[in-house]
Amino acid sequence: MPIDTHSSVLSAGALEAFLDDTEEALDEQFQSELAPALIQDNVRDALQRHPYRADTLASVRRLARLWRHAGEPDAALQVLDGDGQAVLAAVPDDEREVTQLALALTRVEVLGDSPERALPAAEAAYALLHGMAHGAQSQEAWDYLGSLAGRAGLFELERRCAAGRHDYQRAQAARAPYRAYDKAHTALWRAHSYAREGAATQAQAAAAAAIKAFHDAEPGQDLDVNDWLYLGDSMVTLLPESVAAIVERVQAMAAETMPLPHRREIAVRAARLQARALHRQGALAEALETARGGRYVLGCDENDAFSALVLDWLLEAGQQSKAAALAFECVFNERPVSSDHACRVALAQLADDGSRSGTGASSPYWPLLLAWASTVEATAWVVGDEDPAAFFKAHLQVARAGGVALPAIDAVEGLYLIDSAHDYAAALPLLESAVRDPALTSTVVSNIWLCRMQLHGVERALQMPFVDTACAGWSYNAGVTLEYGTRDALAPGSAWPEDAVQALATRYYERGLAQFERFFETGQGMYRDGGVHPYSMLCNNLAIDYVRHKSDYRGALALHRKGIEASPFAEHYEGVMRCLLRLEDETGFLDAADQLWQYAARYGYSRHSPAGYIIDVAKCLHRHERGQEIPVWLERLETWWDSLDEEERAEHAGRYWDTLSVTLYCMGYTQETAALARLDAVLPALCAAGEPMATRMAANSLSRAGQHERALALYRQALAQLDQVEQPDPWHVEQRTQALSGMADCEQAMRASRPWWRFWK
């Protein structure tokens, strides 16, 4: 392992930069799925260019790991024994133990490919960790050492780590509500360890102990539906016959505690779990039947791996035609994991039946899905070294040569004509033919409207027959595309009848709403009917339309409340608040405003502008004789303002000063001294802001307090600010009227306060 000793030693910041670059390059190579030997060579070449001196614990561990990736564990040990020991010697006494443990864990990691060498290192690390006081241990350290032991095949040590972690957890008072969970999790860790070791009897006994820990949980233990599903997931491989009872328990818990959309989501997850357990038990037909209830996309899904699993089961059952149709569905809708898997299956199928040689495909879906895959970036790898256009046409021809008039063939060709040649005239009849199959109405519907608008103009296109969508997610997407995307695809300057287009988008939103809610109620639908968060987003979009185009605040309010129950986000809370204000439900408005503030404070809200509603909060609190609450909102206003940067303040300044001035005015009715003190403190900045309403309301506060001369000066300043407006609108006219009225009241009060003998003054 020669290192270029003529190069300068990399240390400190230079070493950190080298480590950053080398780790980034390593990640890219992993993602590119390069051969492991080639990755090793590349890392080794990079490391051999310099000598190094790692002077921090982090750099020692990072450098040692890179040597491990280079296939040079001895070089990694040299880093730990040299620079690592130097770092250990330099740390303060109170950091020595944790530093020593970190180095010991890294030693196990770099030796993990050799169980014989890893064992003494792992035992030493275990002794260090086990010998530490519970206050110095951590759950992460036990998890890390246990996972390293398991990967190295040191199963007995792995199980000792599980016990050590459990001992640590039991010493933590804060984990009292999780005793049953911790006990079960420890048993599951042991069960999986035994299973990997090949000790089936012990694995099943440990799995049964995990189930018992959940069943025997005392009242007050924190165990929810997700915990039971987690337990069931492990039981699929460990004790599949137990899954049915777990599913029954899960569904009962969901029925007791969850709103309908979430109950349906749990039912889908439970169906997947039960189907996997049935397959594990050899009940293939029952697994496929049960799997139908699990093939709906959920918000918790990272990908569509379950469809890939079902595809394999269909092939296992000899149901080739259903397998081909499912594979096409996954690829056509570009679903992560399942689309890639379907492409690999299709290539294997075509290689087996020789269809590319002209003998015909067993199902036209196999070549058709490869044709479509060639047009999608994530699956374009199917083309290999062929010309993409030639690959597409050849596979499309094979699909058509099968003699089956699949609507999917028209869909693929029509969409290809749009994307590759913008040939809307040729594409439109193909797409209109394709939608006779409801399963194709995902992107096809939006493209039909685009073709119609390109060929006939928007106004005439909107008079053409409505094109239905088969499931909720597709209906929602059709509405969003019409509302926000289609116009950009038309020629600049094309006529765009906003209200008519919006009415069509709203029709799709309402269609999607009904489809979502039908699925939540019945469990019957299509793949994109199950998304709880898309349902909530649709509720928000439709509520906005109801307010903006129909002034239907009650309808919008109901939609926002549905969205909050299903999957809350800040826009729903703001929507509820503004609907209640327009409906003149001021008590409800005040409660909703507080809920919005609390939600935004807890979860964040990038478009949160408290100045836009605190002004109304202050007025309502005053009208409802709740003025003692106004200082709370004043503090919230200032907290928000203080959090803004200079650019954000410039954006919100006008509304902020108006709201501050009105809030102080309302506060002055019950807490005049405090309100005036705050007003005096901000008055120079308020006046300099040049906002006539803010200036006028400040004048009102001073006038009410009897400071008439100061108030008059501010009224005059407000009028001067209004004089600067080149094109006053009705709001400016109203502000001028109010300022003049306030000035007149102020002058009258000043005259009334003079002695009678100075009436001529």
Side-chain angles (χ1 to χ4, degrees):
M1 184 201 65
I3 293 178
D4 186 355
T5 56
H6 298 289
S7 299
S8 58
V9 175
L10 290 185
S11 187
L15 176 58
E16 294 291 334
F18 168 80
L19 293 172
D20 289 342
D21 293 342
T22 308
E23 288 169 348
E24 182 179 354
L26 180 63
D27 287 340
E28 290 174 356
Q29 292 174 70
F30 282 139
Q31 292 172 10
S32 299
E33 299 182 355
L34 290 183
L38 182 57
I39 294 176
Q40 276 194 0
D41 291 343
N42 291 339
V43 179
R44 186 184 303 113
D45 289 345
L47 288 170
Q48 289 176 345
R49 293 172 191 160
H50 298 275
Y52 310 96
R53 185 176 65 253
D55 53 7
T56 67
L57 177 61
S59 60
V60 166
R61 301 182 77 186
R62 293 172 70 189
L63 185 57
R65 285 171 178 149
L66 284 175
W67 278 117
R68 181 199 172 220
H69 285 299
E72 300 285 354
D74 290 328
L77 292 179
Q78 289 179 19
V79 174
L80 295 172
D81 293 337
D83 293 345
Q85 290 304 306
V87 168
L88 178 62
V91 299
D93 289 344
D94 61 348
E95 297 178 18
R96 186 171 303 277
E97 192 174 42
V98 69
T99 303
Q100 188 176 9
L101 176 63
L103 293 170
L105 291 171
T106 307
R107 181 178 293 271
V108 181
E109 181 179 352
V110 301
L111 294 173
D113 294 332
S114 172
E116 295 80 8
R117 300 183 72 185
L119 178 58
E123 289 287 3
Y126 175 85
L128 278 173
L129 182 53
H130 190 265
M132 296 168 68
H134 280 140
Q137 295 178 15
S138 70
Q139 181 169 311
E140 291 73 18
W142 282 115
D143 287 342
Y144 184 37
L145 179 57
S147 66
L148 291 174
R151 288 203 295 269
L154 308 176
F155 300 114
E156 187 275 334
L157 178 57
E158 179 187 19
R159 293 190 286 274
R160 276 190 278 141
C161 289
R165 184 188 66 177
H166 195 208
D167 288 342
Y168 166 78
Q169 291 171 329
R170 284 185 291 194
Q172 309 303 310
R175 293 203 64 80
Y178 310 105
R179 299 301 185 209
Y181 178 86
D182 290 341
K183 185 176 181 180
H185 192 222
T186 301
L188 285 176
W189 191 355
R190 290 172 54 81
H192 286 297
S193 178
Y194 278 123
R196 289 194 300 273
E197 193 177 10
T201 301
Q202 293 93 326
Q204 291 175 354
I211 296 174
K212 187 174 187 301
F214 269 30
H215 277 297
D216 293 348
E218 296 180 357
Q221 285 292 288
D222 191 335
L223 291 175
D224 61 18
V225 166
N226 288 309
D227 297 323
W228 280 91
L229 285 169
Y230 160 75
L231 178 69
D233 186 70
S234 291
M235 292 304 136
V236 169
T237 55
L238 294 169
L239 210 60
E241 61 272 18
S242 69
V243 169
I246 292 174
V247 164
E248 186 176 344
R249 178 68 173 265
V250 162
Q251 292 175 329
M253 292 175 67
E256 293 174 0
T257 62
M258 291 183 166
L260 182 59
H262 290 277
R263 293 204 302 273
R264 185 57 59 195
E265 183 176 83
I266 293 301
V268 172
R269 294 172 64 189
R272 295 176 185 174
L273 194 62
Q274 181 74 332
R276 290 168 53 216
L278 287 166
H279 183 265
R280 185 79 178 187
Q281 296 173 82
L284 179 57
E286 293 87 342
L288 284 169
E289 180 63 27
T290 305
R292 294 171 59 187
R295 284 206 58 249
Y296 300 95
V297 68
L298 304 176
C300 59
D301 291 338
E302 296 180 358
N303 52 55
D304 185 36
F306 187 70
S307 291
L309 192 63
V310 174
L311 173 57
D312 289 343
W313 294 350
L314 288 168
L315 292 170
E316 181 184 347
Q319 299 183 25
Q320 296 288 330
S321 60
K322 289 184 178 180
L326 173 59
F328 174 80
E329 176 191 328
C330 295
V331 174
F332 185 68
N333 292 288
E334 303 175 26
R335 294 172 185 160
V337 174
S338 66
S339 60
D340 197 75
H341 182 64
C343 287
R344 298 184 190 280
V345 171
L347 289 170
Q349 290 287 322
L350 294 186
D352 287 344
D353 65 30
S355 61
R356 285 298 304 277
S357 302
T359 60
S362 56
S363 168
Y365 279 122
W366 297 121
L368 185 63
L369 75 82
L370 290 174
W372 181 254
S374 72
T375 70
V376 179
E377 182 179 359
T379 50
W381 57 265
V382 299
V383 174
D385 296 329
E386 295 186 46
D387 174 71
F391 182 97
F392 175 87
K393 292 175 183 177
H395 283 78
L396 183 68
Q397 182 178 0
V398 172
R400 285 205 181 277
V404 181
L406 289 178
I409 299 175
D410 292 339
V412 167
E413 185 174 4
L415 293 173
Y416 181 78
L417 287 169
I418 294 173
D419 291 339
S420 64
H422 302 296
D423 190 345
Y424 303 103
L428 181 57
L430 291 169
L431 298 182
E432 289 183 327
S433 169
V435 292
R436 68 185 189 272
D437 181 355
L440 299 171
T441 56
S442 50
T443 58
V444 169
V445 169
S446 296
N447 279 282
I448 286 176
W449 287 112
L450 174 62
C451 289
R452 288 174 173 179
M453 291 177 183
Q454 293 280 15
L455 296 172
H456 305 294
V458 178
E459 292 188 3
R460 185 179 171 193
L462 293 174
Q463 297 171 8
M464 294 180 176
F466 181 75
V467 188
D468 202 0
T469 39
C471 72
W474 298 344
S475 298
Y476 174 50
N477 287 345
V480 170
T481 302
L482 282 165
E483 192 170 9
Y484 299 107
T486 304
R487 186 175 189 178
D488 293 337
L490 301 177
S494 298
W496 188 256
E498 183 79 34
D499 290 345
V501 173
Q502 186 59 56
L504 180 60
T506 298
R507 184 173 179 183
Y508 279 110
Y509 288 147
E510 290 174 335
R511 175 78 173 128
L513 183 74
Q515 289 165 325
F516 271 126
E517 293 180 350
R518 181 187 63 210
F519 173 74
F520 296 150
E521 184 68 36
T522 67
Q524 302 298 312
M526 297 183 69
Y527 182 83
R528 290 289 303 276
D529 282 330
V532 173
H533 188 65
Y535 168 70
S536 181
M537 294 171 65
L538 184 152
C539 287
N540 186 59
N541 281 31
L542 191 54
I544 291 171
D545 288 347
Y546 280 8
V547 167
R548 186 177 298 163
H549 300 284
K550 299 181 179 180
S551 298
D552 182 2
Y553 298 104
R554 294 194 185 280
L557 178 62
L559 287 165
H560 282 306
R561 285 175 168 162
K562 286 181 178 181
I564 289 172
E565 180 183 58
S567 180
F569 52 87
E571 285 84 348
H572 278 309
Y573 286 98
E574 182 162 0
V576 167
M577 178 191 72
R578 298 201 179 281
C579 286
L580 289 169
L581 182 64
R582 295 301 297 262
L583 292 169
E584 299 182 354
D585 181 353
E586 293 190 345
T587 300
F589 163 75
L590 291 172
D591 290 341
D594 185 65
Q595 290 170 9
L596 171 60
W597 174 270
Q598 299 290 355
Y599 186 92
R602 183 172 183 180
Y603 299 105
Y605 182 21
S606 61
R607 294 194 294 274
H608 191 207
S609 179
Y613 63 90
I614 289 179
I615 189 170
D616 294 306
V617 168
K619 294 175 184 177
C620 289
L621 288 173
H622 166 60
R623 284 196 291 269
H624 288 261
E625 298 183 352
R626 292 167 56 181
Q628 71 278 5
E629 299 175 36
I630 294 178
V632 173
W633 285 97
L634 178 62
E635 181 181 356
R636 289 175 173 179
L637 178 67
E638 299 290 35
T639 297
W640 166 74
W641 183 250
D642 290 343
S643 72
L644 303 183
D645 60 29
E646 186 174 341
E647 183 177 344
E648 291 169 330
R649 285 192 175 193
E651 177 185 354
H652 295 283
R655 185 167 286 182
Y656 165 73
W657 290 113
D658 287 350
T659 299
L660 177 61
S661 193
V662 170
T663 301
L664 290 171
Y665 177 77
C666 294
M667 179 177 163
Y669 279 102
T670 56
Q671 297 158 85
E672 185 173 73
T673 301
L676 288 175
R678 176 62 183 144
L679 180 60
D680 282 336
V682 302
L683 198 55
L686 185 150
C687 293
E691 298 295 333
M693 178 177 171
T695 306
R696 177 179 68 79
M697 291 304 300
N700 286 355
S701 292
L702 294 176
S703 178
R704 186 182 58 204
Q707 300 182 32
H708 301 302
E709 291 186 3
R710 294 180 70 197
L712 271 176
L714 289 182
Y715 284 129
R716 294 189 182 105
Q717 187 168 350
L719 291 170
Q721 291 165 350
L722 288 164
D723 289 340
Q724 301 300 312
V725 179
E726 295 182 359
Q727 296 181 330
D729 59 24
W731 183 86
H732 294 103
V733 173
E734 175 63 20
Q735 290 303 310
R736 180 177 296 279
T737 300
Q738 293 289 339
L740 290 171
S741 176
M743 180 182 290
D745 291 343
C746 194
E747 289 172 338
Q748 181 179 357
M750 291 174 67
R751 287 194 297 271
S753 67
R754 292 174 183 150
W756 66 269
W757 46 271
R758 298 188 64 186
F759 66 90
W760 61 86
K761 290 288 188 180

